Amino acid sequence: MCGIVGYTGTDTAKDILLAGLKRLEYRGYDSAGVALERTDPAGETHLDVIRRVGKVAGLESELEHVDDESTCGIGHTRWATHGRPSVANAHPHACCGGNIAVVHNGIIENFAELRDELTARGHVFGSETDTEVLAHLVEEAYAQTHELVAAVRKACECVVGAYGLAAVCADEPGVIAVARKDSPIVIGRGEHGSYVASDIIALIDATRDVVVLEDGQFARLAPEGITYTDAQGELIEPEVTHIDWDIDMAEKGGYPDFMLKEICEQPRVVRDTLVGRLAPSGELDIDELGLTFEELDLIDRVYVIACGTSYHAGLVAKNLIEGWARIPCEVEAASEFRYRNPIITPSTLVVAVSQSGETADTLAAIRDARIKGAKVFGITNVVGSPVARESDGVIYTKANKEIAVASTKSFIGQIVSLTLLAMLLGQVKGKLTTGQVRMLFRELGDTAAQIQYILDSQREAVHEAALACKDAPSALFVGRGMGAAISYEGALKLKEVSYLHAEAYAAGEMKHGPIALIDPGFPVIAVTTKSPVYDKVVSNLKECEARGAKIIALATEGDEDIKQIADHVIYIPPVRDAFSAITASVPLQLLARDVAVMRGCDVDQPRNLAKSVTVE
Ligand code: F6R
């Protein structure tokens, strides 16, 4: 959570920082701030720290009154952890002398004791944040080192926790010191200076060649160049990564919001995730697997660990892995998995699913699983992310940058990737023949066109359904099998973007309690696509209908009977049950988005949320 950005060069720093912060806003939007170097008429450099509660737009209006002269500064957009959103708690945080300012993404776990020690040594704190200790620690260290990067390095030695941080010092004009441990930092050199940010997206206008800083590495950015050092202060030459995706992907491209744009990109995500995955021999080709077929053949238990939407992709995968490979598969929230003592042996495969690749609980679960001897396979959307780096193998979901806080296209990419993995396990275990794999692969690819068909033909039906439930106090999502798995995701999507309370239940569970909620007009959104349990779901719906529920059904095209019980029907093309989660998720995403728009919500940045959850 939180986004940091920094620039030093020859251009106007405030413009570059603001543009970067806007792109990083998905990481947090409780408050924003910048520290800009300013030279007074006597030639002395000072730091101006300007902070505002709320989104970057608020900071932008504040900065209109600041002149354009500064060419060096750092900025931050915050998701509150320690301390409520307030100006005092907004970053950057300055030291007592006001000559050093720090922005930070991460958590300083030992901040309370550091704060006590620093207070005892005379430091005065102005915020409730963990970050402020960094500013004071750097201040103390700078008094000894007189060199900013060395001071930051010394400060980091005292700190337990995670950080991606950038610091400036009025006594070293034009220099930005950067450090990283467990929180992302990318650095790049453009024509007009040096740039740092939490995410490539904030520097892609300036350069496509970036350094993804590793844990324990430091950087010194200056207008004329960048130097990198290790934890001992020795110079290093980090690897440069070339970015080949386009900035258009980070813009709305004519759509009213990123969520809709990203929903509409899903046909491409399916296609891209599948490119090159089926060898002419009929073997699935997952070259980043990191595990031999012999190792895969020994797997006798699979855990899918993930959080939120990624966890729901895991629920879909369970059906496929058990169905095709006949390997027992459990799906568990990473936040639970890491604190139990799951049964793990060397023949256990842990599949960690994470769009961002940096979710704290998922990472901790990966580390725990590896210590216990499991093979770990990552499914992530971010190349080089911690999940990718810490797993034995990885499949990238090829969703490209996802900006809306609510996951949509990355979810589809995850399901497609997990489907490939399930097919591969089925193939390796000898449960799926090459012919079956070819057929499944072709049908999986067909879902791209089916999603497009839904996007083209069902928008009006979804809109009508959204109107029907937008004023309800609550809604229920129900389904069975695959339908149950995506009902959970449908309910999550609706509540997170529209703030309309929603729950999901396996439809057969309704009569064990939730049906008590139903009174006339209560919206029930049901996944009633053709599947082996179709009749069962329909009977469950009849029980809801009998109690006056307003039924919105997702049905397979051609199913006219469903109209007898449903008030609204959204159709999806006929598809194999195994792939129905891919297609049926799309109307549920559209429904959530439409309800949110109708209720006047900020669909891309729902309250209290952030895209990357890097804290426990
Ligand atoms: C909901 C959503 C979250 C994430 C969750 C895990 O729309 O996006 O529930 O799925 O925070 O994030 P990742 O996948 O980055 O680990």
Side-chain angles (χ1 to χ4, degrees), residues 431-476:
K431 308 281 183 201
L432 289 179
T433 63
T434 305
Q436 286 169 316
V437 167
R438 274 188 206 280
M439 182 181 63
L440 290 172
F441 191 87
R442 195 185 55 245
E443 289 181 25
L444 182 57
D446 289 346
T447 61
Q450 288 159 346
I451 295 173
Q452 192 58 56
Y453 178 80
I454 295 165
L455 293 171
D456 293 341
S457 66
Q458 297 301 301
R459 289 297 305 280
E460 192 48 42
V462 171
H463 189 78
E464 292 298 318
L467 281 171
C469 51
K470 76 174 173 52
D471 296 320
S474 185
L476 267 176

Side-chain angles (χ1 to χ4, degrees), residues 195-401:
Y195 302 75
V196 56
S198 302
D199 187 330
I200 290 156
I201 197 172
L203 27 111
I204 196 159
D205 285 339
T207 178
R208 280 165 178 278
D209 295 311
V210 299
V211 166
V212 179
L213 209 65
E214 303 258 343
D215 283 351
Q217 294 182 340
F218 297 81
R220 179 184 188 276
L221 278 65
E224 63 284 358
I226 305 168
T227 48
Y228 296 92
T229 43
D230 65 13
Q232 284 70 47
E234 299 296 329
L235 280 176
I236 51 172
E237 277 212 24
E239 195 185 323
V240 174
T241 307
H242 183 74
I243 306 306
D244 55 8
W245 47 267
D246 214 273
I247 194 59
D248 288 356
M249 289 165 190
E251 307 291 352
K252 283 187 196 151
Y255 287 90
D257 46 78
F258 280 111
M259 185 171 176
L260 182 58
K261 174 181 179 249
E262 290 165 358
I263 291 171
C264 293
E265 279 175 45
Q266 295 178 120
R268 179 201 54 74
V269 175
V270 173
R271 283 192 290 268
D272 286 0
T273 307
L274 291 178
V275 165
R277 296 303 190 187
L278 188 67
S281 62
E283 301 268 299
L284 285 168
D285 187 356
I286 302 181
D287 50 356
E288 323 85 330
L289 196 63
L291 300 171
T292 62
F293 281 10
E294 289 70 34
E295 283 173 315
L296 278 183
D297 195 21
L298 292 176
I299 300 298
D300 59 11
R301 179 196 294 264
V302 177
Y303 283 106
V304 182
I305 51 165
C307 303
T309 290
S310 303
Y311 169 83
H312 296 148
L315 295 179
V316 173
K318 175 182 168 69
N319 287 292
L320 304 178
I321 291 171
E322 293 192 342
W324 288 336
R326 307 306 296 154
I327 307 174
C329 174
E330 285 181 48
V331 188
E332 202 161 336
S335 53
E336 292 294 314
F337 182 89
R338 63 181 290 196
Y339 289 115
R340 355 186 254 116
N341 189 11
I343 299 165
I344 289 180
T345 68
S347 51
T348 303
L349 176 66
V350 169
V351 182
V353 187
S354 173
Q355 184 284 129
S356 61
E358 56 174 330
T359 297
D361 284 321
T362 309
L363 265 178
I366 290 177
R367 288 170 189 160
D368 193 46
R370 292 194 74 169
I371 288 169
K372 291 184 171 132
K375 304 269 181 302
V376 177
F377 192 74
I379 293 190
T380 181
N381 196 33
V382 180
V383 176
S385 60
V387 164
R389 287 198 305 220
E390 298 198 24
S391 300
D392 295 299
V394 67
I395 300 183
Y396 288 110
T397 47
K398 308 281 171 62
N400 290 337
K401 188 77 202 165

Side-chain angles (χ1 to χ4, degrees), residues 103-171:
V103 287
H104 163 229
N105 168 32
I107 292 271
I108 307 301
E109 285 164 17
N110 59 340
F111 89 98
E113 67 196 69
L114 288 172
R115 189 182 165 116
D116 289 349
E117 288 165 20
L118 286 157
T119 306
R121 295 202 289 271
H123 290 268
V124 178
F125 280 76
S127 77
E128 304 154 290
T129 65
D130 54 335
T131 300
E132 196 183 341
V133 296
L134 289 169
H136 297 284
L137 284 172
V138 176
E139 179 178 38
E140 279 195 352
Y142 194 79
Q144 295 163 26
T145 63
H146 304 291
E147 205 268 301
L148 188 58
V149 176
V152 166
R153 185 178 301 111
K154 220 168 155 43
C156 289
E157 284 165 11
C158 310
V159 161
V160 178
Y163 49 81
L165 72 89
V168 283
C169 173
D171 303 329

